[in-house]
PDB file of all heavy atoms in Angstrom:
ATOM      1  N   MET A   1     -10.161 -26.603 -33.405  1.00 50.00           N
ATOM      2  CA  MET A   1      -9.271 -25.475 -33.500  1.00 50.00           C
ATOM      3  C   MET A   1      -9.987 -24.198 -33.908  1.00 50.00           C
ATOM      4  O   MET A   1      -9.550 -23.118 -33.533  1.00 50.00           O
ATOM      5  CB  MET A   1      -8.183 -25.767 -34.540  1.00 50.00           C
ATOM      6  CG  MET A   1      -7.073 -26.584 -33.999  1.00 50.00           C
ATOM      7  SD  MET A   1      -5.675 -26.391 -35.053  1.00 50.00           S
ATOM      8  CE  MET A   1      -5.251 -28.063 -35.314  1.00 50.00           C
ATOM      9  N   GLY A   2     -11.029 -24.255 -34.647  1.00 69.00           N
ATOM     10  CA  GLY A   2     -11.740 -23.091 -35.120  1.00 69.00           C
ATOM     11  C   GLY A   2     -12.327 -22.262 -34.001  1.00 69.00           C
ATOM     12  O   GLY A   2     -12.311 -21.040 -34.038  1.00 69.00           O
ATOM     13  N   LEU A   3     -12.846 -22.934 -32.957  1.00 74.00           N
ATOM     14  CA  LEU A   3     -13.440 -22.205 -31.837  1.00 74.00           C
ATOM     15  C   LEU A   3     -12.387 -21.498 -31.003  1.00 74.00           C
ATOM     16  O   LEU A   3     -12.619 -20.408 -30.490  1.00 74.00           O
ATOM     17  CB  LEU A   3     -14.250 -23.152 -30.956  1.00 74.00           C
ATOM     18  CG  LEU A   3     -15.537 -23.695 -31.580  1.00 74.00           C
ATOM     19  CD1 LEU A   3     -16.204 -24.665 -30.610  1.00 74.00           C
ATOM     20  CD2 LEU A   3     -16.483 -22.575 -31.915  1.00 74.00           C
ATOM     21  N   GLY A   4     -11.223 -22.103 -30.862  1.00 78.00           N
ATOM     22  CA  GLY A   4     -10.148 -21.506 -30.075  1.00 78.00           C
ATOM     23  C   GLY A   4      -9.641 -20.222 -30.687  1.00 78.00           C
ATOM     24  O   GLY A   4      -9.434 -19.223 -30.000  1.00 78.00           O
ATOM     25  N   SER A   5      -9.442 -20.221 -32.003  1.00 87.00           N
ATOM     26  CA  SER A   5      -8.946 -19.001 -32.652  1.00 87.00           C
ATOM     27  C   SER A   5     -10.035 -17.926 -32.672  1.00 87.00           C
ATOM     28  O   SER A   5      -9.736 -16.744 -32.569  1.00 87.00           O
ATOM     29  CB  SER A   5      -8.445 -19.301 -34.063  1.00 87.00           C
ATOM     30  OG  SER A   5      -9.513 -19.636 -34.926  1.00 87.00           O
ATOM     31  N   THR A   6     -11.288 -18.329 -32.784  1.00 89.00           N
ATOM     32  CA  THR A   6     -12.379 -17.359 -32.748  1.00 89.00           C
ATOM     33  C   THR A   6     -12.475 -16.726 -31.368  1.00 89.00           C
ATOM     34  O   THR A   6     -12.634 -15.504 -31.243  1.00 89.00           O
ATOM     35  CB  THR A   6     -13.720 -18.036 -33.102  1.00 89.00           C
ATOM     36  OG1 THR A   6     -13.611 -18.626 -34.399  1.00 89.00           O
ATOM     37  CG2 THR A   6     -14.851 -17.034 -33.108  1.00 89.00           C
ATOM     38  N   ALA A   7     -12.344 -17.545 -30.327  1.00 89.00           N
ATOM     39  CA  ALA A   7     -12.385 -17.024 -28.961  1.00 89.00           C
ATOM     40  C   ALA A   7     -11.224 -16.068 -28.729  1.00 89.00           C
ATOM     41  O   ALA A   7     -11.368 -15.026 -28.081  1.00 89.00           O
ATOM     42  CB  ALA A   7     -12.346 -18.169 -27.960  1.00 89.00           C
ATOM     43  N   LYS A   8     -10.057 -16.398 -29.286  1.00 91.00           N
ATOM     44  CA  LYS A   8      -8.885 -15.550 -29.145  1.00 91.00           C
ATOM     45  C   LYS A   8      -9.115 -14.200 -29.842  1.00 91.00           C
ATOM     46  O   LYS A   8      -8.782 -13.138 -29.311  1.00 91.00           O
ATOM     47  CB  LYS A   8      -7.673 -16.255 -29.756  1.00 91.00           C
ATOM     48  CG  LYS A   8      -6.348 -15.742 -29.341  1.00 91.00           C
ATOM     49  CD  LYS A   8      -5.249 -16.577 -29.964  1.00 91.00           C
ATOM     50  CE  LYS A   8      -4.121 -16.760 -28.980  1.00 91.00           C
ATOM     51  NZ  LYS A   8      -3.023 -17.522 -29.556  1.00 91.00           N
ATOM     52  N   LYS A   9      -9.696 -14.235 -31.041  1.00 93.00           N
ATOM     53  CA  LYS A   9      -9.969 -13.007 -31.777  1.00 93.00           C
ATOM     54  C   LYS A   9     -10.993 -12.156 -31.037  1.00 93.00           C
ATOM     55  O   LYS A   9     -10.860 -10.930 -30.963  1.00 93.00           O
ATOM     56  CB  LYS A   9     -10.470 -13.326 -33.183  1.00 93.00           C
ATOM     57  CG  LYS A   9      -9.394 -13.858 -34.099  1.00 93.00           C
ATOM     58  CD  LYS A   9      -9.945 -14.173 -35.464  1.00 93.00           C
ATOM     59  CE  LYS A   9      -8.877 -14.769 -36.357  1.00 93.00           C
ATOM     60  NZ  LYS A   9      -9.394 -15.143 -37.686  1.00 93.00           N
ATOM     61  N   ILE A  10     -12.024 -12.817 -30.495  1.00 93.00           N
ATOM     62  CA  ILE A  10     -13.044 -12.088 -29.737  1.00 93.00           C
ATOM     63  C   ILE A  10     -12.414 -11.441 -28.507  1.00 93.00           C
ATOM     64  O   ILE A  10     -12.710 -10.286 -28.173  1.00 93.00           O
ATOM     65  CB  ILE A  10     -14.216 -13.004 -29.344  1.00 93.00           C
ATOM     66  CG1 ILE A  10     -15.004 -13.386 -30.598  1.00 93.00           C
ATOM     67  CG2 ILE A  10     -15.124 -12.353 -28.320  1.00 93.00           C
ATOM     68  CD1 ILE A  10     -16.091 -14.408 -30.368  1.00 93.00           C
ATOM     69  N   GLN A  11     -11.522 -12.139 -27.839  1.00 94.00           N
ATOM     70  CA  GLN A  11     -10.841 -11.594 -26.666  1.00 94.00           C
ATOM     71  C   GLN A  11      -9.978 -10.395 -27.054  1.00 94.00           C
ATOM     72  O   GLN A  11      -9.949  -9.378 -26.355  1.00 94.00           O
ATOM     73  CB  GLN A  11      -9.986 -12.672 -25.990  1.00 94.00           C
ATOM     74  CG  GLN A  11      -9.312 -12.215 -24.705  1.00 94.00           C
ATOM     75  CD  GLN A  11     -10.311 -11.815 -23.628  1.00 94.00           C
ATOM     76  OE1 GLN A  11     -11.323 -12.487 -23.420  1.00 94.00           O
ATOM     77  NE2 GLN A  11     -10.038 -10.700 -22.966  1.00 94.00           N
ATOM     78  N   MET A  12      -9.297 -10.491 -28.187  1.00 95.00           N
ATOM     79  CA  MET A  12      -8.458  -9.380 -28.658  1.00 95.00           C
ATOM     80  C   MET A  12      -9.325  -8.160 -28.981  1.00 95.00           C
ATOM     81  O   MET A  12      -8.981  -7.026 -28.615  1.00 95.00           O
ATOM     82  CB  MET A  12      -7.652  -9.789 -29.897  1.00 95.00           C
ATOM     83  CG  MET A  12      -6.489 -10.722 -29.589  1.00 95.00           C
ATOM     84  SD  MET A  12      -5.602 -11.383 -31.029  1.00 95.00           S
ATOM     85  CE  MET A  12      -5.443  -9.997 -32.102  1.00 95.00           C
ATOM     86  N   VAL A  13     -10.452  -8.392 -29.636  1.00 96.00           N
ATOM     87  CA  VAL A  13     -11.361  -7.297 -29.965  1.00 96.00           C
ATOM     88  C   VAL A  13     -11.912  -6.685 -28.676  1.00 96.00           C
ATOM     89  O   VAL A  13     -12.005  -5.461 -28.539  1.00 96.00           O
ATOM     90  CB  VAL A  13     -12.500  -7.785 -30.887  1.00 96.00           C
ATOM     91  CG1 VAL A  13     -13.591  -6.738 -31.021  1.00 96.00           C
ATOM     92  CG2 VAL A  13     -11.945  -8.153 -32.262  1.00 96.00           C
ATOM     93  N   SER A  14     -12.250  -7.538 -27.716  1.00 96.00           N
ATOM     94  CA  SER A  14     -12.778  -7.063 -26.438  1.00 96.00           C
ATOM     95  C   SER A  14     -11.735  -6.239 -25.693  1.00 96.00           C
ATOM     96  O   SER A  14     -12.053  -5.172 -25.147  1.00 96.00           O
ATOM     97  CB  SER A  14     -13.218  -8.254 -25.586  1.00 96.00           C
ATOM     98  OG  SER A  14     -13.608  -7.826 -24.314  1.00 96.00           O
ATOM     99  N   ASP A  15     -10.489  -6.700 -25.678  1.00 96.00           N
ATOM    100  CA  ASP A  15      -9.408  -5.965 -25.015  1.00 96.00           C
ATOM    101  C   ASP A  15      -9.187  -4.601 -25.694  1.00 96.00           C
ATOM    102  O   ASP A  15      -9.022  -3.582 -25.015  1.00 96.00           O
ATOM    103  CB  ASP A  15      -8.108  -6.767 -25.047  1.00 96.00           C
ATOM    104  CG  ASP A  15      -8.144  -7.994 -24.147  1.00 96.00           C
ATOM    105  OD1 ASP A  15      -9.046  -8.086 -23.286  1.00 96.00           O
ATOM    106  OD2 ASP A  15      -7.268  -8.879 -24.319  1.00 96.00           O
ATOM    107  N   ARG A  16      -9.203  -4.617 -27.004  1.00 97.00           N
ATOM    108  CA  ARG A  16      -9.000  -3.362 -27.743  1.00 97.00           C
ATOM    109  C   ARG A  16     -10.160  -2.389 -27.493  1.00 97.00           C
ATOM    110  O   ARG A  16      -9.941  -1.187 -27.311  1.00 97.00           O
ATOM    111  CB  ARG A  16      -8.874  -3.660 -29.247  1.00 97.00           C
ATOM    112  CG  ARG A  16      -8.584  -2.460 -30.084  1.00 97.00           C
ATOM    113  CD  ARG A  16      -7.208  -1.889 -29.760  1.00 97.00           C
ATOM    114  NE  ARG A  16      -7.000  -0.703 -30.590  1.00 97.00           N
ATOM    115  CZ  ARG A  16      -6.383   0.376 -30.185  1.00 97.00           C
ATOM    116  NH1 ARG A  16      -5.883   0.433 -28.979  1.00 97.00           N
ATOM    117  NH2 ARG A  16      -6.251   1.389 -30.986  1.00 97.00           N
ATOM    118  N   ALA A  17     -11.374  -2.898 -27.445  1.00 97.00           N
ATOM    119  CA  ALA A  17     -12.541  -2.054 -27.167  1.00 97.00           C
ATOM    120  C   ALA A  17     -12.450  -1.453 -25.772  1.00 97.00           C
ATOM    121  O   ALA A  17     -12.779  -0.281 -25.557  1.00 97.00           O
ATOM    122  CB  ALA A  17     -13.825  -2.860 -27.315  1.00 97.00           C
ATOM    123  N   GLU A  18     -11.968  -2.249 -24.813  1.00 97.00           N
ATOM    124  CA  GLU A  18     -11.809  -1.754 -23.446  1.00 97.00           C
ATOM    125  C   GLU A  18     -10.760  -0.651 -23.394  1.00 97.00           C
ATOM    126  O   GLU A  18     -10.948   0.377 -22.720  1.00 97.00           O
ATOM    127  CB  GLU A  18     -11.416  -2.908 -22.517  1.00 97.00           C
ATOM    128  CG  GLU A  18     -11.449  -2.548 -21.057  1.00 97.00           C
ATOM    129  CD  GLU A  18     -11.173  -3.744 -20.163  1.00 97.00           C
ATOM    130  OE1 GLU A  18     -11.568  -4.862 -20.514  1.00 97.00           O
ATOM    131  OE2 GLU A  18     -10.554  -3.529 -19.108  1.00 97.00           O
ATOM    132  N   GLN A  19      -9.657  -0.826 -24.122  1.00 97.00           N
ATOM    133  CA  GLN A  19      -8.622   0.205 -24.187  1.00 97.00           C
ATOM    134  C   GLN A  19      -9.170   1.494 -24.803  1.00 97.00           C
ATOM    135  O   GLN A  19      -8.928   2.597 -24.294  1.00 97.00           O
ATOM    136  CB  GLN A  19      -7.430  -0.274 -25.013  1.00 97.00           C
ATOM    137  CG  GLN A  19      -6.582  -1.327 -24.359  1.00 97.00           C
ATOM    138  CD  GLN A  19      -5.490  -1.834 -25.305  1.00 97.00           C
ATOM    139  OE1 GLN A  19      -5.570  -1.645 -26.518  1.00 97.00           O
ATOM    140  NE2 GLN A  19      -4.475  -2.470 -24.733  1.00 97.00           N
ATOM    141  N   MET A  20      -9.921   1.344 -25.875  1.00 98.00           N
ATOM    142  CA  MET A  20     -10.490   2.509 -26.537  1.00 98.00           C
ATOM    143  C   MET A  20     -11.499   3.215 -25.629  1.00 98.00           C
ATOM    144  O   MET A  20     -11.558   4.439 -25.591  1.00 98.00           O
ATOM    145  CB  MET A  20     -11.136   2.109 -27.865  1.00 98.00           C
ATOM    146  CG  MET A  20     -10.109   1.693 -28.915  1.00 98.00           C
ATOM    147  SD  MET A  20     -10.857   1.171 -30.458  1.00 98.00           S
ATOM    148  CE  MET A  20     -11.467   2.722 -31.073  1.00 98.00           C
ATOM    149  N   TYR A  21     -12.271   2.440 -24.887  1.00 98.00           N
ATOM    150  CA  TYR A  21     -13.246   3.019 -23.965  1.00 98.00           C
ATOM    151  C   TYR A  21     -12.541   3.830 -22.886  1.00 98.00           C
ATOM    152  O   TYR A  21     -12.957   4.940 -22.553  1.00 98.00           O
ATOM    153  CB  TYR A  21     -14.100   1.914 -23.342  1.00 98.00           C
ATOM    154  CG  TYR A  21     -15.143   2.428 -22.376  1.00 98.00           C
ATOM    155  CD1 TYR A  21     -16.284   3.064 -22.838  1.00 98.00           C
ATOM    156  CD2 TYR A  21     -14.978   2.290 -20.994  1.00 98.00           C
ATOM    157  CE1 TYR A  21     -17.242   3.551 -21.960  1.00 98.00           C
ATOM    158  CE2 TYR A  21     -15.926   2.772 -20.110  1.00 98.00           C
ATOM    159  CZ  TYR A  21     -17.059   3.393 -20.601  1.00 98.00           C
ATOM    160  OH  TYR A  21     -18.001   3.873 -19.721  1.00 98.00           O
ATOM    161  N   LYS A  22     -11.437   3.301 -22.350  1.00 98.00           N
ATOM    162  CA  LYS A  22     -10.653   4.027 -21.349  1.00 98.00           C
ATOM    163  C   LYS A  22     -10.089   5.318 -21.942  1.00 98.00           C
ATOM    164  O   LYS A  22     -10.081   6.369 -21.282  1.00 98.00           O
ATOM    165  CB  LYS A  22      -9.524   3.155 -20.801  1.00 98.00           C
ATOM    166  CG  LYS A  22      -9.994   2.063 -19.866  1.00 98.00           C
ATOM    167  CD  LYS A  22      -8.835   1.225 -19.364  1.00 98.00           C
ATOM    168  CE  LYS A  22      -9.319   0.099 -18.465  1.00 98.00           C
ATOM    169  NZ  LYS A  22      -8.207  -0.745 -18.002  1.00 98.00           N
ATOM    170  N   GLN A  23      -9.613   5.250 -23.182  1.00 98.00           N
ATOM    171  CA  GLN A  23      -9.074   6.446 -23.826  1.00 98.00           C
ATOM    172  C   GLN A  23     -10.161   7.505 -24.020  1.00 98.00           C
ATOM    173  O   GLN A  23      -9.925   8.695 -23.808  1.00 98.00           O
ATOM    174  CB  GLN A  23      -8.455   6.092 -25.180  1.00 98.00           C
ATOM    175  CG  GLN A  23      -7.139   5.360 -25.069  1.00 98.00           C
ATOM    176  CD  GLN A  23      -6.584   4.961 -26.427  1.00 98.00           C
ATOM    177  OE1 GLN A  23      -7.310   4.869 -27.419  1.00 98.00           O
ATOM    178  NE2 GLN A  23      -5.276   4.719 -26.473  1.00 98.00           N
ATOM    179  N   VAL A  24     -11.343   7.058 -24.399  1.00 98.00           N
ATOM    180  CA  VAL A  24     -12.460   7.990 -24.581  1.00 98.00           C
ATOM    181  C   VAL A  24     -12.819   8.638 -23.252  1.00 98.00           C
ATOM    182  O   VAL A  24     -13.069   9.852 -23.186  1.00 98.00           O
ATOM    183  CB  VAL A  24     -13.678   7.282 -25.222  1.00 98.00           C
ATOM    184  CG1 VAL A  24     -14.925   8.153 -25.143  1.00 98.00           C
ATOM    185  CG2 VAL A  24     -13.382   6.910 -26.664  1.00 98.00           C
ATOM    186  N   GLN A  25     -12.838   7.861 -22.182  1.00 98.00           N
ATOM    187  CA  GLN A  25     -13.141   8.416 -20.860  1.00 98.00           C
ATOM    188  C   GLN A  25     -12.093   9.456 -20.459  1.00 98.00           C
ATOM    189  O   GLN A  25     -12.431  10.521 -19.932  1.00 98.00           O
ATOM    190  CB  GLN A  25     -13.201   7.307 -19.802  1.00 98.00           C
ATOM    191  CG  GLN A  25     -14.462   6.497 -19.836  1.00 98.00           C
ATOM    192  CD  GLN A  25     -14.470   5.440 -18.738  1.00 98.00           C
ATOM    193  OE1 GLN A  25     -13.455   4.810 -18.454  1.00 98.00           O
ATOM    194  NE2 GLN A  25     -15.629   5.261 -18.114  1.00 98.00           N
ATOM    195  N   GLU A  26     -10.819   9.144 -20.693  1.00 98.00           N
ATOM    196  CA  GLU A  26      -9.751  10.094 -20.384  1.00 98.00           C
ATOM    197  C   GLU A  26      -9.901  11.375 -21.194  1.00 98.00           C
ATOM    198  O   GLU A  26      -9.729  12.489 -20.666  1.00 98.00           O
ATOM    199  CB  GLU A  26      -8.386   9.459 -20.644  1.00 98.00           C
ATOM    200  CG  GLU A  26      -8.011   8.375 -19.656  1.00 98.00           C
ATOM    201  CD  GLU A  26      -6.728   7.646 -20.028  1.00 98.00           C
ATOM    202  OE1 GLU A  26      -6.052   8.053 -21.002  1.00 98.00           O
ATOM    203  OE2 GLU A  26      -6.406   6.659 -19.346  1.00 98.00           O
ATOM    204  N   LEU A  27     -10.237  11.228 -22.466  1.00 98.00           N
ATOM    205  CA  LEU A  27     -10.431  12.408 -23.305  1.00 98.00           C
ATOM    206  C   LEU A  27     -11.614  13.239 -22.822  1.00 98.00           C
ATOM    207  O   LEU A  27     -11.547  14.477 -22.812  1.00 98.00           O
ATOM    208  CB  LEU A  27     -10.644  11.996 -24.765  1.00 98.00           C
ATOM    209  CG  LEU A  27      -9.395  11.531 -25.506  1.00 98.00           C
ATOM    210  CD1 LEU A  27      -9.766  11.002 -26.894  1.00 98.00           C
ATOM    211  CD2 LEU A  27      -8.380  12.657 -25.627  1.00 98.00           C
ATOM    212  N   GLN A  28     -12.681  12.586 -22.404  1.00 98.00           N
ATOM    213  CA  GLN A  28     -13.833  13.313 -21.872  1.00 98.00           C
ATOM    214  C   GLN A  28     -13.445  14.092 -20.624  1.00 98.00           C
ATOM    215  O   GLN A  28     -13.835  15.250 -20.456  1.00 98.00           O
ATOM    216  CB  GLN A  28     -14.985  12.351 -21.555  1.00 98.00           C
ATOM    217  CG  GLN A  28     -15.710  11.843 -22.782  1.00 98.00           C
ATOM    218  CD  GLN A  28     -16.778  10.814 -22.434  1.00 98.00           C
ATOM    219  OE1 GLN A  28     -16.677  10.097 -21.442  1.00 98.00           O
ATOM    220  NE2 GLN A  28     -17.800  10.731 -23.286  1.00 98.00           N
ATOM    221  N   GLN A  29     -12.664  13.465 -19.753  1.00 98.00           N
ATOM    222  CA  GLN A  29     -12.219  14.146 -18.535  1.00 98.00           C
ATOM    223  C   GLN A  29     -11.331  15.347 -18.882  1.00 98.00           C
ATOM    224  O   GLN A  29     -11.448  16.415 -18.269  1.00 98.00           O
ATOM    225  CB  GLN A  29     -11.471  13.177 -17.627  1.00 98.00           C
ATOM    226  CG  GLN A  29     -12.358  12.138 -16.988  1.00 98.00           C
ATOM    227  CD  GLN A  29     -11.561  11.089 -16.210  1.00 98.00           C
ATOM    228  OE1 GLN A  29     -10.340  11.024 -16.292  1.00 98.00           O
ATOM    229  NE2 GLN A  29     -12.271  10.252 -15.461  1.00 98.00           N
ATOM    230  N   ARG A  30     -10.457  15.158 -19.856  1.00 98.00           N
ATOM    231  CA  ARG A  30      -9.588  16.262 -20.267  1.00 98.00           C
ATOM    232  C   ARG A  30     -10.401  17.404 -20.858  1.00 98.00           C
ATOM    233  O   ARG A  30     -10.117  18.579 -20.603  1.00 98.00           O
ATOM    234  CB  ARG A  30      -8.550  15.777 -21.279  1.00 98.00           C
ATOM    235  CG  ARG A  30      -7.476  14.905 -20.644  1.00 98.00           C
ATOM    236  CD  ARG A  30      -6.498  14.384 -21.656  1.00 98.00           C
ATOM    237  NE  ARG A  30      -5.757  15.475 -22.275  1.00 98.00           N
ATOM    238  CZ  ARG A  30      -4.943  15.311 -23.314  1.00 98.00           C
ATOM    239  NH1 ARG A  30      -4.774  14.111 -23.835  1.00 98.00           N
ATOM    240  NH2 ARG A  30      -4.303  16.336 -23.825  1.00 98.00           N
ATOM    241  N   ILE A  31     -11.412  17.073 -21.643  1.00 98.00           N
ATOM    242  CA  ILE A  31     -12.254  18.108 -22.249  1.00 98.00           C
ATOM    243  C   ILE A  31     -13.002  18.882 -21.179  1.00 98.00           C
ATOM    244  O   ILE A  31     -13.067  20.112 -21.216  1.00 98.00           O
ATOM    245  CB  ILE A  31     -13.228  17.485 -23.280  1.00 98.00           C
ATOM    246  CG1 ILE A  31     -12.451  17.046 -24.517  1.00 98.00           C
ATOM    247  CG2 ILE A  31     -14.321  18.474 -23.669  1.00 98.00           C
ATOM    248  CD1 ILE A  31     -13.261  16.210 -25.492  1.00 98.00           C
ATOM    249  N   VAL A  32     -13.560  18.173 -20.206  1.00 98.00           N
ATOM    250  CA  VAL A  32     -14.275  18.841 -19.116  1.00 98.00           C
ATOM    251  C   VAL A  32     -13.324  19.745 -18.347  1.00 98.00           C
ATOM    252  O   VAL A  32     -13.651  20.892 -18.027  1.00 98.00           O
ATOM    253  CB  VAL A  32     -14.940  17.798 -18.179  1.00 98.00           C
ATOM    254  CG1 VAL A  32     -15.425  18.437 -16.902  1.00 98.00           C
ATOM    255  CG2 VAL A  32     -16.089  17.097 -18.895  1.00 98.00           C
ATOM    256  N   SER A  33     -12.123  19.246 -18.092  1.00 97.00           N
ATOM    257  CA  SER A  33     -11.128  20.041 -17.375  1.00 97.00           C
ATOM    258  C   SER A  33     -10.753  21.295 -18.176  1.00 97.00           C
ATOM    259  O   SER A  33     -10.642  22.392 -17.616  1.00 97.00           O
ATOM    260  CB  SER A  33      -9.889  19.190 -17.112  1.00 97.00           C
ATOM    261  OG  SER A  33      -8.875  19.945 -16.532  1.00 97.00           O
ATOM    262  N   LEU A  34     -10.560  21.133 -19.475  1.00 98.00           N
ATOM    263  CA  LEU A  34     -10.229  22.281 -20.318  1.00 98.00           C
ATOM    264  C   LEU A  34     -11.366  23.286 -20.375  1.00 98.00           C
ATOM    265  O   LEU A  34     -11.134  24.501 -20.366  1.00 98.00           O
ATOM    266  CB  LEU A  34      -9.875  21.814 -21.734  1.00 98.00           C
ATOM    267  CG  LEU A  34      -8.511  21.156 -21.893  1.00 98.00           C
ATOM    268  CD1 LEU A  34      -8.359  20.566 -23.290  1.00 98.00           C
ATOM    269  CD2 LEU A  34      -7.397  22.144 -21.615  1.00 98.00           C
ATOM    270  N   GLU A  35     -12.599  22.803 -20.425  1.00 98.00           N
ATOM    271  CA  GLU A  35     -13.749  23.708 -20.426  1.00 98.00           C
ATOM    272  C   GLU A  35     -13.791  24.521 -19.139  1.00 98.00           C
ATOM    273  O   GLU A  35     -14.042  25.732 -19.172  1.00 98.00           O
ATOM    274  CB  GLU A  35     -15.052  22.923 -20.595  1.00 98.00           C
ATOM    275  CG  GLU A  35     -15.265  22.390 -21.994  1.00 98.00           C
ATOM    276  CD  GLU A  35     -16.496  21.500 -22.109  1.00 98.00           C
ATOM    277  OE1 GLU A  35     -16.987  20.997 -21.072  1.00 98.00           O
ATOM    278  OE2 GLU A  35     -16.961  21.307 -23.239  1.00 98.00           O
ATOM    279  N   GLU A  36     -13.531  23.867 -18.007  1.00 98.00           N
ATOM    280  CA  GLU A  36     -13.515  24.574 -16.728  1.00 98.00           C
ATOM    281  C   GLU A  36     -12.392  25.607 -16.709  1.00 98.00           C
ATOM    282  O   GLU A  36     -12.567  26.736 -16.241  1.00 98.00           O
ATOM    283  CB  GLU A  36     -13.350  23.583 -15.574  1.00 98.00           C
ATOM    284  CG  GLU A  36     -14.557  22.698 -15.353  1.00 98.00           C
ATOM    285  CD  GLU A  36     -14.310  21.579 -14.347  1.00 98.00           C
ATOM    286  OE1 GLU A  36     -13.156  21.434 -13.869  1.00 98.00           O
ATOM    287  OE2 GLU A  36     -15.269  20.851 -14.049  1.00 98.00           O
ATOM    288  N   GLU A  37     -11.248  25.222 -17.238  1.00 98.00           N
ATOM    289  CA  GLU A  37     -10.105  26.127 -17.269  1.00 98.00           C
ATOM    290  C   GLU A  37     -10.390  27.332 -18.171  1.00 98.00           C
ATOM    291  O   GLU A  37     -10.044  28.473 -17.834  1.00 98.00           O
ATOM    292  CB  GLU A  37      -8.866  25.377 -17.778  1.00 98.00           C
ATOM    293  CG  GLU A  37      -7.570  26.078 -17.518  1.00 98.00           C
ATOM    294  CD  GLU A  37      -6.372  25.203 -17.833  1.00 98.00           C
ATOM    295  OE1 GLU A  37      -6.439  23.987 -17.617  1.00 98.00           O
ATOM    296  OE2 GLU A  37      -5.373  25.772 -18.302  1.00 98.00           O
ATOM    297  N   VAL A  38     -11.039  27.095 -19.296  1.00 98.00           N
ATOM    298  CA  VAL A  38     -11.395  28.193 -20.201  1.00 98.00           C
ATOM    299  C   VAL A  38     -12.383  29.131 -19.509  1.00 98.00           C
ATOM    300  O   VAL A  38     -12.260  30.355 -19.605  1.00 98.00           O
ATOM    301  CB  VAL A  38     -11.983  27.645 -21.522  1.00 98.00           C
ATOM    302  CG1 VAL A  38     -12.664  28.742 -22.323  1.00 98.00           C
ATOM    303  CG2 VAL A  38     -10.887  26.999 -22.359  1.00 98.00           C
ATOM    304  N   ASP A  39     -13.355  28.566 -18.803  1.00 97.00           N
ATOM    305  CA  ASP A  39     -14.316  29.396 -18.070  1.00 97.00           C
ATOM    306  C   ASP A  39     -13.615  30.248 -17.013  1.00 97.00           C
ATOM    307  O   ASP A  39     -13.905  31.439 -16.873  1.00 97.00           O
ATOM    308  CB  ASP A  39     -15.402  28.531 -17.417  1.00 97.00           C
ATOM    309  CG  ASP A  39     -16.372  27.941 -18.429  1.00 97.00           C
ATOM    310  OD1 ASP A  39     -16.431  28.442 -19.566  1.00 97.00           O
ATOM    311  OD2 ASP A  39     -17.069  26.962 -18.071  1.00 97.00           O
ATOM    312  N   ASP A  40     -12.698  29.628 -16.270  1.00 97.00           N
ATOM    313  CA  ASP A  40     -11.946  30.363 -15.252  1.00 97.00           C
ATOM    314  C   ASP A  40     -11.121  31.483 -15.885  1.00 97.00           C
ATOM    315  O   ASP A  40     -11.077  32.612 -15.377  1.00 97.00           O
ATOM    316  CB  ASP A  40     -11.025  29.424 -14.464  1.00 97.00           C
ATOM    317  CG  ASP A  40     -11.776  28.479 -13.557  1.00 97.00           C
ATOM    318  OD1 ASP A  40     -12.980  28.716 -13.303  1.00 97.00           O
ATOM    319  OD2 ASP A  40     -11.167  27.485 -13.105  1.00 97.00           O
ATOM    320  N   THR A  41     -10.477  31.164 -17.009  1.00 98.00           N
ATOM    321  CA  THR A  41      -9.657  32.157 -17.703  1.00 98.00           C
ATOM    322  C   THR A  41     -10.526  33.297 -18.209  1.00 98.00           C
ATOM    323  O   THR A  41     -10.147  34.475 -18.109  1.00 98.00           O
ATOM    324  CB  THR A  41      -8.897  31.505 -18.868  1.00 98.00           C
ATOM    325  OG1 THR A  41      -8.081  30.443 -18.354  1.00 98.00           O
ATOM    326  CG2 THR A  41      -8.023  32.506 -19.598  1.00 98.00           C
ATOM    327  N   HIS A  42     -11.691  32.967 -18.727  1.00 98.00           N
ATOM    328  CA  HIS A  42     -12.614  33.991 -19.218  1.00 98.00           C
ATOM    329  C   HIS A  42     -13.032  34.925 -18.080  1.00 98.00           C
ATOM    330  O   HIS A  42     -13.051  36.157 -18.248  1.00 98.00           O
ATOM    331  CB  HIS A  42     -13.844  33.326 -19.842  1.00 98.00           C
ATOM    332  CG  HIS A  42     -14.860  34.288 -20.358  1.00 98.00           C
ATOM    333  ND1 HIS A  42     -14.644  35.061 -21.482  1.00 98.00           N
ATOM    334  CD2 HIS A  42     -16.087  34.616 -19.910  1.00 98.00           C
ATOM    335  CE1 HIS A  42     -15.701  35.814 -21.688  1.00 98.00           C
ATOM    336  NE2 HIS A  42     -16.593  35.566 -20.748  1.00 98.00           N
ATOM    337  N   GLN A  43     -13.338  34.358 -16.935  1.00 98.00           N
ATOM    338  CA  GLN A  43     -13.720  35.177 -15.781  1.00 98.00           C
ATOM    339  C   GLN A  43     -12.557  36.062 -15.342  1.00 98.00           C
ATOM    340  O   GLN A  43     -12.753  37.240 -15.011  1.00 98.00           O
ATOM    341  CB  GLN A  43     -14.181  34.286 -14.624  1.00 98.00           C
ATOM    342  CG  GLN A  43     -15.498  33.605 -14.873  1.00 98.00           C
ATOM    343  CD  GLN A  43     -15.851  32.602 -13.773  1.00 98.00           C
ATOM    344  OE1 GLN A  43     -15.092  32.384 -12.843  1.00 98.00           O
ATOM    345  NE2 GLN A  43     -17.021  31.982 -13.906  1.00 98.00           N
TER     346      GLN A  43
END
């Protein structure tokens, strides 16, 4: 039973890390988009 719960916890951590990675990518895209928009507005 110990290995099963450990595998489950590792899977949960892996899923959460994947979600966080996707959120970071989305935030990076939003930041790049905002930077472009600020540059356009400045011009």
Side-chain angles (χ1 to χ4, degrees):
M1 278 199 230
L3 291 178
S5 69
T6 302
K8 198 177 218 182
K9 288 179 183 178
I10 291 174
Q11 184 62 42
M12 286 174 43
V13 169
S14 174
D15 290 345
R16 183 66 181 143
E18 190 175 326
Q19 288 175 342
M20 291 178 70
Y21 180 74
K22 287 180 182 178
Q23 287 177 339
V24 168
Q25 283 181 320
E26 290 173 6
L27 286 174
Q28 285 176 332
Q29 290 174 350
R30 288 177 64 188
I31 288 170
V32 168
S33 175
L34 286 172
E35 287 174 341
E36 291 171 356
E37 195 171 325
V38 166
D39 288 342
D40 290 345
T41 302
H42 179 71
Q43 290 173 358

